[in-house]
Amino acid sequence: MMTQPSVARLIEVVRAQLTETIGPALIDDGPRSALGMIDHVLQMIQTRSEREIDWMVLQTTDIIDLARSAVASGDVSSKVSEAVDAYEANRSGGLAASQVTSDYAHAAAVLSLLLEETVGTSSDTAIESRGLLEREVQWGVDVVGDFVLVAP
């Protein structure tokens, strides 16, 4: 019996079964390579399932807070204010994966606009916007890890 049936734990159990039960039965390199790729994809899903909601909520909050600050300081045009208003109008506020993903997508549009409006400047808004983008890229790298695609 599984005492902690989280998505991450379920994937961990599936990965172990594939590696310990199926892996030794495979003798050809093609299927063994395919199993390695499957395991890596499952590992990425496991990592994302454990931290993705929290990460998207944090990133969304930081983007919208930065945009509000930039609007208040006059650092950006009214387009950013309108984008924040659109985010607020469409924001679900829920914690289901689909709701958080939708909110995050709207916030990402705000970040894109912040980056566009501050490109080539060294304002605090520009620096913080680039920092948020760098954090987003690093999250993607952390999730993917050392993935090498090998043809089966």
Side-chain angles (χ1 to χ4, degrees):
M1 181 171 102
M2 217 185 283
T3 58
Q4 297 176 330
S6 67
V7 171
R9 179 69 179 124
L10 292 169
I11 293 170
E12 179 183 340
V13 169
V14 169
R15 288 180 65 212
Q17 286 296 312
L18 287 171
T19 302
E20 296 165 10
T21 306
I22 305 297
L26 301 175
I27 49 177
D28 291 334
D29 288 341
R32 291 179 71 79
S33 292
L35 182 61
M37 288 187 293
I38 291 167
D39 182 64
H40 187 79
V41 168
L42 288 171
Q43 181 183 16
M44 288 187 314
I45 294 168
Q46 183 179 3
T47 300
R48 287 181 70 164
S49 71
E50 189 63 28
R51 300 177 28 215
E52 188 167 44
I53 298 293
D54 181 57
W55 185 87
M56 284 193 291
V57 168
L58 172 67
Q59 186 77 349
T60 297
T61 300
D62 289 350
I63 290 168
I64 298 303
D65 287 350
L66 175 61
R68 286 182 181 134
S69 175
V71 166
S73 71
D75 229 10
V76 292
S77 76
S78 61
K79 288 181 184 178
V80 174
S81 180
E82 292 165 8
V84 171
D85 290 345
Y87 163 81
E88 293 292 347
N90 293 300
R91 180 175 178 262
S92 74
L95 290 176
S98 61
Q99 293 171 314
V100 172
T101 301
S102 176
D103 292 347
Y104 173 75
H106 287 101
V110 173
L111 177 59
S112 179
L113 191 55
L114 283 170
L115 290 163
E116 181 182 309
E117 291 211 3
T118 61
V119 68
T121 72
S122 58
S123 69
D124 289 344
T125 300
I127 292 167
E128 289 182 50
S129 296
R130 288 190 293 269
L132 289 171
L133 179 61
E134 289 170 7
R135 183 170 79 181
E136 190 163 326
V137 169
Q138 187 57 53
W139 164 252
V141 169
D142 290 347
V143 168
V144 173
D146 298 325
F147 183 64
V148 179
L149 184 61
V150 179

